[in-house]
Amino acid sequence: MALAQQLEELAIDIAREAGELARRRRTEGVAIAATKSSIADIVTEADREVETLIRSRLVDERPGDGFLGEESAAERGTTGITWVVDPIDGTVNYAYGIPVYAVSIAAVSGEPEPSRWKALAGVVFSPPTGEMFHAARGAGAWLGGERLAVNAEPSPAGALLATGFGYNPATHASDLARVARVMPMARDLRRMGAASLDLCFVAAGRFDGYFERGLQPWDHAAGALVVAEAGGRFTRVELDDIPGRPLFVASGPALFDSLLATALGP
Ligand code: IPD
């Protein structure tokens, strides 16, 4: 079996186990352990415990690989493969009991930096629904056993779009201006609260497109590959006003250029 598919299979197994732990901890009650970049940016004990589980399983199976996770220190590997992990994407939903969160695990090769890596495998598992989105480079995107394809064209009623608002209040005014620019092309706009699932929903044709500023590598590493393998496009554009908070856009090919141009603005 090709390396990308081996990595995908491993990620699927680990994501299922990690997702079951997250779901169990949720039923036991959730404690906020700390805040991070801003007071709205939280981490729960479960985020840390689930990342520890994922990391230890990866070390057992592939000891030489690197690791880049949301909740623990990054480590360079010796194999050229790095695992990019968000143990619970949608932590605020998770903390509030909203059943929209996911375990996101990607394997990338090359420099562990989004503009330079090549994604080989990506898995996004939604514990509340049991949905397993997965892709291996060159082998398509899947929801369980069903092959995914982005929507060819938005409906005449307009595009069903999704967005998010990062935790950095400094970008909120421009985030809202972007929403105002994009609304005329939308039939409606969703804000689910888990970027990895937003991307997988584009891949599944549940959304026509998605845009958000300021994602972290672990938020998009797996979902972006799922979009690409479903025939979609994904990009990351640095903006001048606040460096380090790029804009991300994903959609099917027919919508992509106009969505990107509108999201970027004049
Ligand atoms: C967050 C979610 C959210 C997005 C934020 C992300 P986290 O990830 O994906 O939808 O708007 O930008 O940081 O913190 O829950 O892992």
Side-chain angles (χ1 to χ4, degrees):
M1 190 192 296
L3 174 64
Q5 281 164 299
Q6 289 172 29
L7 299 171
E8 178 191 28
E9 285 203 353
L10 176 61
I12 288 173
D13 284 349
I14 295 176
R16 194 169 279 119
E17 188 183 353
E20 176 49 31
L21 175 62
R23 203 195 51 73
R24 201 165 63 241
R25 289 289 179 261
R26 176 59 243 177
T27 62
E28 292 164 1
V30 168
I32 294 172
T35 57
K36 299 189 289 183
S37 61
S38 73
I39 196 165
D41 186 6
I42 55 170
V43 56
T44 70
E45 290 297 348
D47 290 81
R48 291 175 174 167
E49 194 185 355
V50 173
E51 182 157 316
T52 301
L53 171 85
I54 295 169
R55 196 165 184 162
S56 75
R57 291 287 181 275
L58 289 169
V59 168
D60 290 347
E61 296 295 328
R62 294 190 48 94
D65 291 351
F67 188 86
L68 177 64
E70 180 166 19
E71 315 299 351
S72 57
E75 190 179 335
R76 276 189 172 268
T78 53
T79 59
I81 305 286
T82 301
W83 293 91
V84 185
V85 171
D86 193 341
I88 300 178
D89 180 41
T91 303
V92 174
N93 284 344
Y94 184 78
Y96 275 74
I98 298 169
V100 181
Y101 63 90
V103 177
S104 176
I105 303 179
V108 304
S109 68
E111 277 302 301
E113 199 277 309
S115 62
R116 299 171 71 192
W117 74 39
K118 180 163 121 185
L120 299 179
V123 168
V124 176
F125 178 58
S126 157
T129 61
E131 289 185 317
M132 179 74 75
F133 298 89
H134 57 102
R137 193 176 197 83
W142 303 81
L143 170 52
E146 175 201 342
R147 190 154 189 167
L148 299 179
V150 295
N151 287 340
E153 304 261 359
S155 89
L160 184 61
L161 299 175
T163 193
F165 306 97
Y167 297 120
N168 184 347
T171 65
H172 286 170
S174 63
D175 291 339
L176 291 172
R178 182 169 305 106
V179 167
R181 281 197 303 277
V182 164
M183 276 316 277
M185 66 196 292
R187 72 182 298 157
D188 208 342
L189 182 69
R190 301 284 181 263
R191 195 296 188 247
M192 293 206 301
S196 60
L197 288 173
D198 289 319
L199 289 165
C200 290
F201 277 29
V202 171
R206 295 175 181 177
F207 293 149
D208 293 304
Y210 164 68
F211 58 95
E212 177 165 355
R213 186 166 185 188
L215 296 180
Q216 298 298 317
W218 39 82
D219 297 321
H220 63 78
L225 180 66
V226 177
V227 169
E229 288 294 326
R233 292 179 64 189
F234 170 86
T235 196
R236 169 185 181 280
V237 184
E238 278 295 346
L239 302 180
D240 292 337
D241 57 344
I242 305 177
R245 308 288 301 169
L247 173 69
F248 297 81
V249 174
S251 78
L255 178 66
F256 187 81
D257 290 338
S258 60
L259 178 59
L260 177 60
T262 310
L264 283 170

